[in-house]
């Protein structure tokens, strides 16, 4: 049974405890940090006003030297002509707050009425519609298929799932019709359910049960086409460099699915009314764009404005007329409610005597600006909203508690994580919680590059190298291997290896992630650094439970753990993991080849992995009909494929993995300069028709391309090369305009080693016969080099090539 009723019941608490403060007008600008905290007196009086000054881009016109008040600014409008629908632009210019409730865009045309206003709107729309730019080319890989015109193929149901699971609903409104999976209620929420509303207030827990308002979407079907919204979701930074909308590391098909869900009520995808774009009208629109100071907030066509209003510090907060209220015709008009007006006035008055912000204040303010508090709690502020918690789930509903499904706390994060690792997390390459459905988003580099240093400055205390914290850790590594077996490996993998069913974070590179002083403190008392953690203490009252190891010396035992983990592959895996591996399902093709259908990162969900006795292995992508990757050494572990519902994609156990070109290996081209086709399930060429296995256990893959049938066989040699033989049968003479080509090798660069051998930058070499080499063509497209070969137009032909690396 789903647990929605639990959270519905808890949500009623806030009704009993008292309604939250609301904006007095539905058209007031919505700023997440102000709405969630300042409206409830949970920010310093001036901080809420300063947040509004930043997010409403006041300093775009009123200069200020205070760095934290620099304007968010509006979206880039380069490309507005093919990104935004014209009828929506007209309506938005007519009344921004009515067209998109909560927008931070002021009304710049309120001083115009009647015919003059309509003329201005027509000119501005014509100018913006003339700003067109090409959409970027999205490159396909084995793990990221890019179907032809993928933005037209979004799946609404799949998009709804992604929208509610990946973290979108931390900021945006969930769909009432969507039910999240079963979620086990946490002990804290159980406690809240049993408390009287008055007790909740007394204990200071009102914020914990108060629902969080959503960042408004506006009328997306009227604003975007499917293509425009899909590309926006793939890279919001392109148009929103301020980073208030981050990137969720979506694949092309995922972005198309979410766009389809968000536009599910769209009845048309073209503008209702096209605006005539004469040169004079566009020029008039550009003139207005500058005169109205739109250019102060929006980048477009390299336009610049040199005119600014009075400096922020000199503004009269109590003036009878201003941008805040009763705006004059020459001013932008913000429909601020009284609470917002009061907050800005307090901030303006305080600017005159305000001292420079402390590092702590600067950091807290940036977290408010980027709305990090939508997902993360820090110093008892923020975290996933009470009404959003059910949507944060683990993969396959594995019960890891709130710690396993809710984004981690940022309290003390500068003391915990090393700067280089924090940087990796912020740039999108530091994912370690693969059991969590929600994704850590990627923010523009210029917006977050200073955060790792800021966290360390505020939280870091005095960081010491591990040689100071653990002087003898190198000599104690072997003892650390034994220590890990006392409880660590029951929850955590080590270097990708684990006991059966373990899904925690990998400890293999923990010494590259955390500071040694934090590691020491956390092992001594986990709950002191991470409240309600499931991590037990192995040193209660500072005493070891393993008296037989290192004489029970706690300091040496913790140092031994650090020493072992830092040694990495120089130390063997813990004995219990090795024992489990000996009983596991590692496939070893020692006498005959092994063929396994599985799911692999680079070979997709239709991967066919082939292990060969010569310790050369490869994976064939049956969906894109191509060899995807090859590697040497150990083959695969089949346990995840055969037995574990929640399992990551199968990874090669060996080493020296190389990737083959994305897309089909063979294709019909109209001429030798036609770009190589990308994979598309709709085109469905070539068509995979299965495989057969010969007496030696080697599979031959069967597929059809146009009018020909192809048999594709890979066999290893004693020199650990991979020989490939393609047998092509059928009539190729039915179309004189097309020629069947084989793509042998691609790369950013291709280097010719011999007349018959080419090598790419990854070290993958392709060798062919002299005749084939003479017929081959080396060409370049989209910064990629191809070595392709025409297939002879015969009823039956065989092509042999060899790969080595």
């Amino acid at each position: 049974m789903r647990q929605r009723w639990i959270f519905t019941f808890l949500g009623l608490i806030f009704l009993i405890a008292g309604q939250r403060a609301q904006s007095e007008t539905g058209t007031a600008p919505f700023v997440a940090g102000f709405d969630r905290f300042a409206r409830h007196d949970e920010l310093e009086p001036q901080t809420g006003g300063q947040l509004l000054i930043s997010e409403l881009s006041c300093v775009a016109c009123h200069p200020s030297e205070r760095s934290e008040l620099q304007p968010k600014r509006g979206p880039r409008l380069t490309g507005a002509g093919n990104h935004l629908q014209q009828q929506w632009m007209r309506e938005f210019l007519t009344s921004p707050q009515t067209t998109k409730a909560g927008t931070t865009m002021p009304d710049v045309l309120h001083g115009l009425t009647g015919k003059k206003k309509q003329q201005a709107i027509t000119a501005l729309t014509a100018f913006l519609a003339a700003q067109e730019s090409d959409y970027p080319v999205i490159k396909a890989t084995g793990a990221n298929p890019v179907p032809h015109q993928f933005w037209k193929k979004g799946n609404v149901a799949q998009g709804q799932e992604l929208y509610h699971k990946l973290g979108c609903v931390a900021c945006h409104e969930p769909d009432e019709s969507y039910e999240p999976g079963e979620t086990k209620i946490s002990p804290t929420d159980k406690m809240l359910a049993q408390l009287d509303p008055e007790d909740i207030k007394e204990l200071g827990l009102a914020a914990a049960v108060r629902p969080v308002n959503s960042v408004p979407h506006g009328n997306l079907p009227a604003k975007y086409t499917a293509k425009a919204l899909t590309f926006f979701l793939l890279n919001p930074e392109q148009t929103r460099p301020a980073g208030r909308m981050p990137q969720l590391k979506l694949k092309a098909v995922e972005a198309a699915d979410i766009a389809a869900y968000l536009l599910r009520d769209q009845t048309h995808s073209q503008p209702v009314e096209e605006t005539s774009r004469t040169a004079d009208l566009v020029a008039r629109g550009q003139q207005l764009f500058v005169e109205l100071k739109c250019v102060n907030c929006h980048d477009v066509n390299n336009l610049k404005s040199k005119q600014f209003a009075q400096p922020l510090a000199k503004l009269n907060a109590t003036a009878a007329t201003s941008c805040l209220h009763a705006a004059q015709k020459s001013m932008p008009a913000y429909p601020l409610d009284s609470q917002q007006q009061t907050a800005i006035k307090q901030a303006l008055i305080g600017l005159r005597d305000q001292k420079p912000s402390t590092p702590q204040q600067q950091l807290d303010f940036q977290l408010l600006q980027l709305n990090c508090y939508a997902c993360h709690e820090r110093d008892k502020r923020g975290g996933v909203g009470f009404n959003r918690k059910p949507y944060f789930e683990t993969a396959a509903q594995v019960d890891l508690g709130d710690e396993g499904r809710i984004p981690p706390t940022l309290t003390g994060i500068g003391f915990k994580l090393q700067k280089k690792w924090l940087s990796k997390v912020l740039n999108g390459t530091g994912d370690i919680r693969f059991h969590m459905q929600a994704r850590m988003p990627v923010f523009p580099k210029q917006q977050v590059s200073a955060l790792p240093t800021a966290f360390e400055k505020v939280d870091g205390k005095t960081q010491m190298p591990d040689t100071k914290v653990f002087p003898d850790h190198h000599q104690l590594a072997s003892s650390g291997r034994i220590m890990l077996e006392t409880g660590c490996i029951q929850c955590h993998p080590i270097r990708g290896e684990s006991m059966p069913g373990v899904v925690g974070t990998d400890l293999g590179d923990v010494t590259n992630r955390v500071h040694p002083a934090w590691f020491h403190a956390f092992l001594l008392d986990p709950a002191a650094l991470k409240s309600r953690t499931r991590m037990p203490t192995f040193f209660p009252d500072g005493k070891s439970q393993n008296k037989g190891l290192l004489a029970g010396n706690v300091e040496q035992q913790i140092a031994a753990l650090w020493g072992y983990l830092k040694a990495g592959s120089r130390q063997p895996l813990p004995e219990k993991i090795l024992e489990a591996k000996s009983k596991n399902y590692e496939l070893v093709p020692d006498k005959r080849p092994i063929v396994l259908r599985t799911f692999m990162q680079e070979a997709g969900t239709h991967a066919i992995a082939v292990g060969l006795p010569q310790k050369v292995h490869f994976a064939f992508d049956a969906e894109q009909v191509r060899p995807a990757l090859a590697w040497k050494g150990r083959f695969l572990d089949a346990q995840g494929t055969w037995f574990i519902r929640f399992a990551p994609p199968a990874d090669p156990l060996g080493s020296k993995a190389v990737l083959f070109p994305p897309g089909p290996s063979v294709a019909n081209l109209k001429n030798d300069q036609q770009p190589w086709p990308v994979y598309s399930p709709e085109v469905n060429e070539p068509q995979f028709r299965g495989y057969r296995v010969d007496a030696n256990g080697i599979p031959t893959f069967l597929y059809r391309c146009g009018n020909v049938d192809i048999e594709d066989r890979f066999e290893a040699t004693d020199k650990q090369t991979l020989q490939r033989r393609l047998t092509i049968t059928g009539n190729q003479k039915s179309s004189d305009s097309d020629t069947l080509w084989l793509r042998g090798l691609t790369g950013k660069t291709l280097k010719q080693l011999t007349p018959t051998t080419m090598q790419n930058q990854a070290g993958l070499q392709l060798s062919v016969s002299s005749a084939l080499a003479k017929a081959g063509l080396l060409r370049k497209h989209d910064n990629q080099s191809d070595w392709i070969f025409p297939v002879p137009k015969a009823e039956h032909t065989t092509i042999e090539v060899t790969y080595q690396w």
Side-chain angles (χ1 to χ4, degrees), residues 49 52-53 56 324 336 340-349:
L52 289 174
I53 289 172
L56 299 179
L324 308 185
L336 304 173
Q340 291 173 328
Q341 291 180 31
T342 299
I344 293 178
K345 288 176 182 178
Q346 288 179 326
L348 291 175
I349 293 171

Side-chain angles (χ1 to χ4, degrees), residues 73 148 176-177 211 322 324 347 420 422 438 470 525 571 574 590 624 649 723 725 737 745:
R73 305 185 79 232
H148 179 61
E176 291 184 358
S177 68
S322 70
L324 308 185
K420 61 183 180 181
L422 262 175
F470 307 120
D525 190 358
Q571 282 285 333
D590 52 355
Q624 295 195 28
Q723 291 184 338
R725 185 172 72 240
S737 61
L745 192 64

Side-chain angles (χ1 to χ4, degrees), residues 99 105 130 565 616 618 667 799:
T99 304
M105 163 85 175
L565 293 170
V616 178
F618 68 95
I799 296 176

Side-chain angles (χ1 to χ4, degrees), residues 635-710:
F635 182 43
L636 288 177
D637 189 327
Q639 185 180 22
T641 301
W642 290 344
F643 298 105
I644 301 177
R645 181 184 174 194
F646 169 57
D651 289 324
L653 293 178
S655 59
K656 299 181 180 179
V658 292
L659 300 178
F660 287 93
S665 296
V666 295
N668 284 301
L669 304 182
K670 295 187 180 301
N671 58 69
D672 60 17
Q673 292 304 311
Q674 179 184 337
W676 199 261
V678 297
Y679 164 73
S680 170
E682 282 70 28
V683 175
N684 199 24
E685 186 175 292
Q687 301 171 8
F688 186 66
R689 307 185 72 189
Y691 63 91
R692 64 169 180 263
V693 179
D694 65 16
N696 295 320
I698 296 175
T700 297
F701 301 99
L702 313 174
Y703 47 98
R704 173 171 288 175
C705 186
N707 296 320
V708 302
D709 291 319
I710 301 171

Side-chain angles (χ1 to χ4, degrees), residues 228-473:
L229 183 55
T230 299
F231 276 88
F232 172 74
L233 293 172
L234 282 172
N235 186 17
E237 181 183 352
Q238 185 67 29
T239 51
R240 304 280 180 98
R244 296 338 184 229
M245 168 67 187
Q247 181 199 134
L248 279 174
K249 294 177 279 196
L250 299 174
K251 298 177 182 178
V253 292
E254 291 176 331
D257 288 343
I258 294 177
Y261 165 68
L262 294 173
L263 302 179
R264 61 195 180 279
D265 296 327
Q266 190 174 67
T267 56
H268 59 82
S269 60
Q270 68 281 343
V272 173
E273 177 185 340
E274 290 287 345
T275 298
S276 175
R277 295 209 313 255
T278 65
D280 289 344
L281 192 60
V282 171
R284 174 59 181 155
Q286 178 172 312
Q287 181 183 358
L288 283 170
F289 197 82
V290 175
E291 289 177 355
L292 295 168
K293 303 298 188 295
C294 306
V295 72
N296 285 14
C297 284
H298 299 282
D299 291 330
V300 60
N301 206 22
N302 295 317
L303 294 177
K304 302 291 182 184
S305 174
K306 296 181 180 179
Q307 299 179 3
F308 288 94
Q310 193 167 346
L312 193 71
K314 294 184 178 181
L315 290 179
N316 180 5
T318 60
T321 180
S322 70
C323 301
L324 308 185
H325 66 280
Q328 296 178 2
K329 291 182 178 181
S330 59
M331 299 175 178
Y334 289 92
L336 304 173
D337 61 35
S338 62
Q339 192 171 5
Q340 291 173 328
Q341 291 180 31
T342 299
I344 293 178
K345 288 176 182 178
Q346 288 179 326
L348 291 175
I349 293 171
L351 280 176
R352 298 165 189 167
D353 304 315
Q354 187 176 359
K355 297 178 181 178
S357 300
T358 66
Q360 174 78 59
Q361 290 170 331
Q362 291 175 1
L363 176 59
D364 292 347
F365 194 75
Q366 188 171 8
L367 298 181
L368 285 168
Q369 289 175 311
L370 296 176
N371 200 21
C372 301
Y373 293 117
C375 289
H376 299 279
E377 174 272 340
R378 178 172 166 86
D379 296 332
K380 298 182 179 180
R381 175 185 290 167
V384 173
F386 184 76
N387 53 327
R388 311 297 168 96
K389 282 186 177 181
Y391 303 99
F392 284 76
E393 306 175 33
T394 55
Q397 303 299 324
V398 174
D399 181 17
L400 296 174
D402 280 3
E403 190 176 9
R405 66 187 185 90
I406 303 293
T409 179
L410 296 182
T411 301
I413 200 69
F415 174 49
K416 175 182 179 180
L417 295 183
Q418 300 175 25
K419 280 200 305 183
K420 61 183 180 181
W421 183 258
L422 262 175
S423 296
K424 290 187 69 172
V425 172
L426 292 170
N427 68 28
T429 59
D431 294 329
I432 60 171
R433 292 177 170 84
F434 300 107
H435 52 271
M436 188 180 290
Q437 294 274 25
R439 297 177 184 174
M440 172 63 195
V442 180
F443 291 86
K445 186 176 181 180
Q446 68 270 20
Q447 301 297 336
V448 296
S449 59
L451 277 179
T453 299
F455 276 122
E456 186 176 78
K457 195 175 203 178
V458 173
D459 297 338
K461 304 178 183 178
T462 302
Q463 294 296 349
M464 295 186 295
D466 58 1
T467 53
K468 295 289 186 182
V469 181
F470 307 120
D472 302 322
H473 69 270

